[in-house]
Amino acid sequence: MRIGILNSGGDCPGLNAVIHGVTGAANQLGWEVIGFRDGFEGLLPPGDFMVLDRNRVQGIMKLGGTILGTVNKGNFAAKRGAGAVAEVAPETIEKAKTTLKLLEIGALVVVGGDGSLTTGLQLFNAGIPVIGVPKTIDNDLKATATTFGFDSAVTSVVDALDRLHTTAASHKRVFVLETMGRHAGWIALYGGIGGGANVILLPEIPFDFEKVAASIRERSAIGQHSTLIVVAEGAFPAGGLPEIEAAGGSGEDRLGGIGDIVMREIGRRTGKEVRCCTLGHLQRGGSPTSLDRILATRFGVMAVKLIAEGRFGRMVSYESYRVDSVPIEDAVSALKTVDPESEVVAAARAIGVCFGD
Ligand code: F6P
């Protein structure tokens, strides 16, 4: 048996741990593993790949990024903009099939988020035996309670807030920290709670600048002169932000900039000194946390188990502390976003966090 593995989309702490897990478990069964470079692009003839074995993957679990390289655009992009699905060209799928046939690959593990798993599903529907492994720092995939990479991203946000806290308190300033999270605010929510943010602004809860400003004035009135605001890149005020909505183009829109807008508006409305820090790709790079290493390893092992059982078209999932699997279709049908009525949002409100609503 020879299996292939590729990762696609934005890189994410824990990708190498999945590669390590898949290779280790497959080698134990006597299977060979081929790693395709640069996502699905590596499937284009003649195939761009490397042979993975225990020696090649030794020591990679702790490394950020991916030894296979990745792309979040290209010939196989199946999702553009907010959820719009594009069909991968049939001739491109045929090329991938040719490569897999020539290399005698019996199964393909696709490690990716919403867009890459949508491509994986299209390949499966075209007859390629695909197993999906959920990857995204955004934690926005349906049908799995969490994805690897999320904990590492949250840890970066908490670390940044810890640092901003001391400088903000020293100068009696307001600090805005802009995080990733285009349609789902999980990173901002969990990072904000863990890092003790006073205001958390999410794509799921449109905010009012005046309510945010009022909460800062209330804090000042009781002697709390510094405030930490976390804003997800996809958050927006209830009335909308025309200059951001207009920023389009091909592929996924590049977000970012809401932090500066919040900084200006809050400074103007409160008269306080406000600074903005955009965390950007710092929350995607670097070593995975131990939680993500373990989760990614378990995901890789489950992918091999699913192949051994011939259960293709399924994605590895995590629910109630157990690694399991679901049809890929269930994971990519819609994004998993923060429920404004959820217990975790209520808990944040209970300790005085303002969501600007
Ligand atoms: O989907 C993961 C993600 O990190 C988003 O949160 C972010 O908007 C996007 O990728 C950034 O992509 P790029 O690396 O192409 O700028």
Side-chain angles (χ1 to χ4, degrees), residues 263-299:
M263 173 182 73
R264 282 199 301 275
E265 276 298 315
I266 296 305
R268 194 171 66 76
R269 288 167 194 258
T270 62
K272 289 189 76 84
E273 255 199 298
V274 190
R275 296 286 187 272
C276 174
C277 173
T278 302
L279 200 49
H281 292 75
L282 288 174
Q283 62 212 294
R284 235 170 59 188
S287 293
T289 58
S290 49
L291 206 85
D292 277 339
R293 295 179 199 197
I294 295 162
L295 189 63
T297 300
R298 292 169 72 192
F299 278 9

Side-chain angles (χ1 to χ4, degrees), residues 10-11 72-73 135-138 140 180-182 187 233 253-255 281 284:
D11 70 319
N72 58 3
K73 38 187 79 69
K135 166 240 67 157
T136 161
I137 62 165
D138 294 339
D140 59 359
M180 283 187 175
R182 37 196 323 118
I187 297 176
E233 62 183 347
D253 289 350
R254 277 184 67 187
L255 298 185
H281 292 75
R284 235 170 59 188

Side-chain angles (χ1 to χ4, degrees), residues 99-139:
T99 305
L100 292 170
K101 202 167 167 210
L102 277 173
L103 294 172
E104 296 177 357
I105 304 259
L108 181 64
V109 178
V110 173
V111 190
D114 179 47
S116 308
L117 291 173
T118 300
T119 300
L121 182 60
Q122 291 182 18
L123 298 190
F124 171 69
N125 289 337
I128 298 175
V130 168
I131 295 292
V133 175
K135 166 240 67 157
T136 161
I137 62 165
D138 294 339
N139 194 31

Side-chain angles (χ1 to χ4, degrees), residues 169-241:
S170 304
H171 286 267
K172 299 186 176 61
R173 279 174 173 164
V174 174
F175 258 92
V176 181
L177 180 69
E178 182 183 306
T179 68
M180 283 187 175
R182 37 196 323 118
H183 306 296
W186 297 106
I187 297 176
L189 177 62
Y190 277 63
I193 293 173
N198 312 107
V199 178
I200 301 177
L201 305 176
L202 309 176
E204 294 88 345
I205 306 179
F207 62 89
D208 180 340
F209 283 117
E210 196 38 49
K211 295 216 167 115
V212 176
S215 81
I216 291 168
R217 284 187 216 106
E218 279 163 27
R219 288 175 55 74
S220 286
I222 56 164
Q224 305 276 319
H225 296 296
S226 65
T227 293
L228 294 180
I229 302 176
V230 175
V231 57
E233 62 183 347
F236 55 91
L241 275 175

Side-chain angles (χ1 to χ4, degrees), residues 156-171:
S156 298
V157 174
V158 170
D159 177 59
L161 285 172
D162 285 351
R163 290 165 192 272
L164 292 178
H165 179 81
T166 55
T167 177
S170 304
H171 286 267

